[in-house]
Amino acid sequence: MKTDILLGLQWGDEGKGKIVDVLSPRYDIIARFQGGANAGHTLIFNKQKFVLHLLPSGIFRKNTLNVIGEGVVLDPVTLIEEIKKTEQITGNISEKLLIAEKTNLIIPSHRILDKAYEYKSGKNKIGSTGKGIGPAYTDKISRNAIRIGDINMPDFKEKYNTLKNKHLKILKSINFDFDISEDEKKWFEAAEELKRFKTINGSYFFNKNMKEGKKILAEGAQGTLLDINAGTYPFVTSSSVTSAGVCTGLGIAPDKTGEIYGIFKAYTTRVGNGPFPTELFDDDGEKLQKAGHEYGATTGRKRRCGWLDIPALKYAVQINGVTSLIMTKADVLSEFDTFKVASHYIINGKKTDIFPYSLQNVKPAYKTFKSWNKNIKTAKTKNDLPEEFLQFVNYIEKEVNIPIKIISVGADRKNTLIL
Ligand code: GDP
Ligand code: IMO
Ligand code: MG
């Protein structure tokens, strides 16, 4: 068996958590391959809502194993808090959660650095979630990081102190005031508690399971337009969000990846700063924000809203090699009489569907669609969907040249059509 992938095609929050939860009974293993607690993945079932930051979204399923892969940056404090909350529902998850031993750790001073850099950037700040993601990946790439596999080593504390002192020097040089003594205490306690979870050699683990015919789904965090390489740099996160990131993030070869599910909202949102060509500043934008309950699942910030952007979607599909599309939140468009989709961009008077280096001079060219003015949340099959809805689906499939195989029409597990 090969490893399937599900990842975001926009600026995150496409509904990845919901759909991974829906698909997880079909898989033996769900694995996160990048990012960290900057992610907020919402799952709703049995009238209850759960937001996961580090735990893979298969954690509520009885027979699914969940793995934090080595491409993730892990904050022990956040993870332990999340595990405790989850265990109140599921019971002990020690047998259901594995952590790759090469996973890098976020330490308290990473979070402080994240805040300090943002503060110093003033109005040019990224709008980071403040979870220490950027500084942690910086230390990984500059070969200074500590990993979960170091926890049991005799020189663990020494390695920790070396890293912390490096951070303290930077913080001192920029005159940033802070106190981490309490956070440090909690951090060491959490690191100790994590020892009840088995660590694995990611590459051997995933390859062995694939050989044995086990079904694996890699769960993306963030979205392609936030990817460190492909995204709207510098307004991006610091990890490899794309399908290429699955290989390095889990330790598997490119020929071992299978179905690549690309997920997108029927409109677009973005939380944090950076360019957003189809962003709306009018009543329609407000309506999308309200009807879609568009608030960040990690930070609670209002999400910026705009119409669906076909050039951006095509670009994301190309970079990831998407084989199947998943559309979410189309039910939100039921609130509109008409809605728009950017079919192209106009750049310096020229029509193009290329996502350019700079989005500064981009003007979206819109196509208007008649909405269906009908509640579609109870739809169970394609036959239950209005004609106008199907025309919208056909249009996207034709433009992007990939079939839409799953349609989500509500936040609950139940509001999902697998076509
Ligand atoms: P993720 O980060 O990609 O997992 O997405 P988030 O959980 O951050 O944001 C998606 C939001 O939309 C959450 O509040 C979900 O409960 C909600 N949601 C997911 N799918 C649908 C859908 O099809 N319709 C509606 N109305 N809400 C949805
Ligand atoms: P999920 O997995 C939406 C955004 C932040 C900020 C930028 C950098 O829930 O889709 P970081 O904390 O990584 O340094 O922030 O990326 N961002 C997200 N936006 N969904 C996410 O994750 C995000 N994770 C990071 O708002 O603009
Ligand atoms: Mg989210």
Side-chain angles (χ1 to χ4, degrees):
M1 289 308 285
K2 296 189 174 188
T3 293
D4 291 347
I5 303 169
L6 186 150
L7 48 75
L9 299 179
Q10 296 162 321
W11 280 287
D13 305 328
E14 297 90 349
K16 299 176 290 295
K18 178 205 154 155
I19 300 297
V20 171
D21 168 58
V22 168
L23 293 179
S24 54
R26 300 170 176 216
Y27 288 92
D28 299 296
I29 300 166
I30 309 288
R32 279 277 305 268
F33 60 93
Q34 46 69 234
N38 48 353
H41 294 182
T42 314
L43 284 62
I44 299 182
F45 54 89
N46 301 338
K47 300 203 166 77
Q48 272 185 293
K49 174 175 157 174
F50 305 92
V51 180
L52 299 173
H53 301 287
L54 273 164
L55 289 173
S57 300
I59 200 72
F60 292 102
R61 302 290 194 175
K62 238 196 186 128
N63 300 316
T64 311
L65 205 51
N66 291 266
V67 182
I68 296 181
E70 59 207 39
V72 169
V73 285
L74 186 162
D75 183 335
V77 177
T78 322
L79 182 57
I80 286 295
E81 274 171 12
E82 200 170 315
I83 286 169
K84 285 184 177 161
K85 258 197 212 156
T86 305
E87 287 185 329
Q88 286 172 6
I89 310 290
T90 57
N92 192 301
I93 58 167
S94 299
E95 299 297 318
K96 275 175 64 176
L97 177 68
L98 303 171
I99 308 173
E101 59 199 0
K102 288 185 186 151
T103 305
N104 286 62
L105 293 173
I106 294 191
I107 71 171
S109 41
H110 278 133
R111 277 177 178 249
I112 308 288
L113 276 177
D114 208 355
K115 291 200 175 90
Y117 291 145
E118 285 283 82
Y119 176 74
K120 291 283 166 196
S121 301
K123 65 176 179 30
N124 294 324
K125 68 179 183 185
I126 305 291
S128 152
T129 59
K131 305 292 177 192
I133 305 296
Y137 279 115
T138 301
D139 279 331
K140 174 178 179 169
I141 299 300
S142 64
R143 299 164 290 189
N144 291 295
I146 51 174
R147 312 195 282 188
I148 197 137
D150 295 323
I151 284 187
N152 289 317
M153 302 283 183
D155 60 350
F156 177 56
K157 194 83 202 261
E158 196 183 314
K159 278 190 170 161
Y160 171 92
N161 281 329
T162 307
L163 185 58
K164 179 182 86 173
N165 289 333
K166 178 179 158 263
H167 297 161
L168 298 191
K169 256 192 211 153
I170 301 172
L171 288 163
K172 200 170 167 204
S173 74
I174 55 175
N175 285 322
F176 195 81
D177 267 349
F178 63 94
D179 176 12
I180 51 167
S181 47
E182 192 54 34
D183 294 341
E184 259 190 318
K185 195 170 150 266
K186 271 201 214 157
W187 191 89
F188 278 102
E189 281 164 12
E192 193 58 36
E193 281 187 67
L194 277 186
K195 289 183 182 168
R196 75 172 154 107
F197 294 92
K198 209 162 117 194
T199 56
I200 50 163
N201 180 314
S203 185
Y204 285 101
F205 173 86
F206 289 113
N207 281 288
K208 178 171 176 283
N209 276 283
M210 282 191 282
K211 256 188 213 144
E212 288 171 0
K214 296 274 169 35
K215 291 200 74 183
I216 305 170
L217 178 66
E219 173 181 2
Q222 291 78 56
T224 304
L225 305 179
L226 286 171
D227 176 80
I228 185 69
N229 294 298
T232 48
Y233 193 89
F235 298 99
V236 293
T237 190
S238 299
S239 67
S240 291
V241 169
T242 57
S243 53
V246 174
C247 296
T248 51
L250 296 185
I252 63 171
D255 69 335
K256 297 289 189 304
T257 60
E259 187 89 39
I260 303 179
Y261 293 101
I263 185 167
F264 67 100
K265 271 179 199 171
Y267 48 98
T268 311
T269 63
R270 171 161 209 174
V271 57
N273 297 333
F276 179 176
T278 62
E279 182 169 15
L280 293 165
F281 300 95
D282 58 6
D283 291 349
D284 283 342
E286 211 164 289
K287 202 162 158 182
L288 283 173
Q289 200 273 328
K290 285 217 171 85
H293 303 287
E294 294 295 352
Y295 290 95
T298 297
T299 57
R301 290 178 292 182
K302 256 191 189 180
R303 292 178 183 146
R304 300 155 62 191
C305 296
W307 299 125
L308 183 64
D309 182 335
I310 294 287
L313 196 62
K314 286 182 180 170
Y315 170 69
V317 162
Q318 168 179 288
I319 286 219
N320 291 297
V322 169
T323 56
S324 296
L325 288 170
I326 301 172
M327 179 165 73
T328 61
K329 301 196 91 160
D331 53 297
V332 173
L333 297 177
S334 308
E335 308 274 327
F336 291 78
D337 292 326
T338 59
F339 62 87
K340 290 181 185 173
V341 172
S343 57
H344 289 88
Y345 293 154
I346 309 287
I347 303 175
N348 301 328
K350 284 202 183 111
K351 205 170 158 185
T352 176
D353 65 351
I354 303 249
F355 193 77
Y357 177 74
S358 163
L359 290 170
Q360 224 167 30
N361 295 318
V362 164
K363 282 200 182 65
Y366 288 111
K367 181 175 160 64
T368 302
F369 286 79
K370 200 167 161 286
S371 186
W372 36 90
N373 281 134
K374 229 188 223 163
N375 181 354
I376 53 167
K377 281 197 178 170
T378 51
K380 290 280 169 261
T381 69
K382 216 170 177 176
N383 292 337
D384 302 329
L385 294 169
E387 184 51 35
E388 293 86 351
F389 187 98
L390 295 175
Q391 279 172 11
F392 176 48
V393 168
N394 281 342
Y395 166 78
I396 298 168
E397 287 183 329
K398 229 172 152 185
E399 283 293 317
V400 180
N401 206 16
I402 305 283
I404 298 183
K405 294 212 183 141
I406 300 176
I407 296 177
S408 170
V409 289
D412 194 281
R413 227 185 225 175
K414 285 187 288 194
N415 307 128
T416 316
L417 285 82
I418 302 190
L419 306 175

